[in-house]
Amino acid sequence: MPALFEALFAAALLDAKRAIPQGITAPNAAVPTRRFAVHRNNVVAGLVKALQTRFPAVEKIVGEEFFAAMARAFVVEQPPRTPLLATYGDEFAAFIAAFEPACELTYLADVARLEAARTRAYRAADATPLTADQFAALDPCAVGSMRFDLHPSTEIVRSPHPIVTIWAMNSGEQDVARIENWHGEDALVFRPYLDVEVRALAPGGAAFLLALAGGQPLGEATGAALADDPEFDLARNLAALIGLGLVRDIVLR
């Protein structure tokens, strides 16, 4: 019975059309409709605020009023499943992609995916990246069979839209300007040390990192990158792996 009451109570909090669960009383009212409404509004407002905190660039793009309405619709459809509000909204990008009022902003869902990845990177486990000296000490004859264990904060967000540029312009990282060359951008999101960083990957870079993250050895990952872009520069991307601190370990097999 307590579990049923809790389920009804939670459902009523997020749906104004639902009746107040039986058994709720107030000192000055037999049916505390107004008090429950205040509580309901506070809960929804708190969840919307959590989404505003996690997706500030999305809010800036669409405006506060539009974002609040969209966030409220999301809250009602997909309430939190855990008490940790810092991670609430992992499904928000998929919701935006299907949200008809936002259908003209075809890039918006991917910007939300990037912002969600930033939060996960911030909360990812700490790890000490390998240094350039450690790479230099490796046997060059075994390079092709090496498997790289990437830093746990590393995420790749691929998009047919210039999402890194759009995000940067709407997060204060870059001045707002007209995007003359509208093309897809793949975002690298990572936190090797204290701060989360976002970088636009060179052509083939996303396929390369995704292959490495999937456990493929360097030789196969390079093949995947070349298939994605024939001009993939292996030396440049290996230098980025080292310089950005994206590798925490190397497995030789």
Side-chain angles (χ1 to χ4, degrees):
M1 185 64 71
L4 176 60
F5 177 81
E6 289 175 3
L8 292 173
F9 187 88
L13 276 179
L14 297 175
D15 188 351
K17 296 179 182 179
R18 286 179 177 264
I20 299 175
Q22 293 184 357
I24 296 178
T25 61
N28 60 349
V31 181
T33 303
R34 295 180 63 181
R35 288 196 174 190
F36 192 84
V38 171
H39 187 48
R40 174 187 285 142
N41 288 337
N42 288 340
V43 169
V44 173
L47 295 176
V48 169
K49 180 64 177 177
L51 293 173
Q52 289 173 321
T53 300
R54 193 172 184 191
F55 301 95
V58 171
E59 182 182 30
K60 186 172 182 180
I61 290 168
V62 301
E64 293 182 8
E65 185 175 347
F66 187 98
F67 184 91
M70 181 168 64
R72 280 178 173 272
F74 174 77
V75 166
V76 171
E77 182 176 306
Q78 300 193 47
R81 295 180 176 85
T82 71
L84 190 60
L85 288 185
T87 62
Y88 180 52
D90 277 343
E91 304 85 1
F92 194 41
F95 177 86
I96 291 173
F99 191 61
E100 188 173 350
C103 65
E104 293 184 2
L105 299 175
T106 53
Y107 57 84
L108 191 65
D110 286 346
V111 175
R113 288 172 58 215
L114 191 159
E115 292 203 287
R118 291 187 75 251
T119 305
R120 288 191 294 270
Y122 180 78
R123 301 186 62 82
D126 293 326
T128 302
L130 294 184
T131 65
D133 289 341
Q134 289 173 299
F135 274 94
L138 296 171
D139 181 1
C141 296
V143 168
S145 61
M146 292 178 181
R147 286 178 166 83
F148 291 3
D149 183 13
L150 299 185
H151 194 283
S153 67
T154 305
E155 287 202 36
I156 310 299
V157 182
R158 307 200 71 175
S159 176
H161 310 287
I163 57 167
V164 177
T165 302
I166 294 171
W167 168 80
M169 288 183 178
N170 288 279
S171 63
E173 297 289 325
Q174 183 176 323
D175 291 338
V176 177
R178 182 181 179 85
I179 302 176
E180 299 293 346
N181 183 18
W182 190 278
H183 64 279
E185 290 180 346
D186 298 325
L188 166 63
V189 182
F190 63 110
R191 183 190 55 79
Y193 301 106
L194 294 177
D195 298 322
V196 177
E197 299 186 35
V198 177
R199 302 285 183 92
L201 288 166
F208 180 63
L209 289 175
L210 287 170
L212 291 177
Q216 294 185 31
L218 182 62
E220 293 181 15
T222 301
L226 288 169
D228 190 64
D229 188 279
E231 298 183 4
F232 172 75
D233 188 333
L234 176 59
R236 177 183 177 184
N237 281 268
L238 280 176
L241 275 177
I242 301 169
L244 297 178
L246 296 179
V247 180
R248 68 173 175 179
D249 197 10
I250 293 178
V251 180
L252 300 176
R253 294 181 182 176

